[in-house]
Amino acid sequence: MKALGFNAKTGIAERADRLVAILVLTFFGDVPDLPILYEVTLWLLAIASTVTVLQRILLVRRQALAEVQPEG
């Protein structure tokens, strides 16, 4: 969205957060042999990623509407 001048860097699950979650929970799923953590992690990341997408859509929408509306 930089080409249009909008900023969409927000959300509860940004790229670094997702990467850390996958790495940490993969480690804890493998070392004590708890494979259920893989499924739980993927479901949580899917939910968090969906929420992040919705947050970014709403943020860009607010920015676009603020540009269109006259001030005052």
Side-chain angles (χ1 to χ4, degrees):
M1 286 294 160
K2 277 291 191 190
L4 298 175
F6 300 133
N7 181 9
K9 292 187 177 190
T10 187
I12 63 170
E14 294 184 12
R15 185 175 294 128
D17 301 331
R18 293 190 307 259
L19 181 61
V20 168
I22 287 287
L23 292 173
V24 169
L25 292 173
T26 299
F27 172 77
F28 284 114
D30 194 33
V31 171
D33 197 28
L34 294 172
I36 188 70
L37 285 181
Y38 302 140
E39 188 173 341
V40 171
T41 302
L42 290 176
W43 275 107
L44 290 175
L45 285 176
I47 293 167
S49 296
T50 302
V51 170
T52 298
V53 168
L54 293 174
Q55 288 176 325
R56 290 180 179 183
I57 289 171
L58 292 174
L59 177 66
V60 170
R61 182 178 186 273
R62 279 194 299 263
Q63 291 174 10
L65 290 176
E67 277 190 5
V68 172
Q69 303 216 355
E71 299 199 18

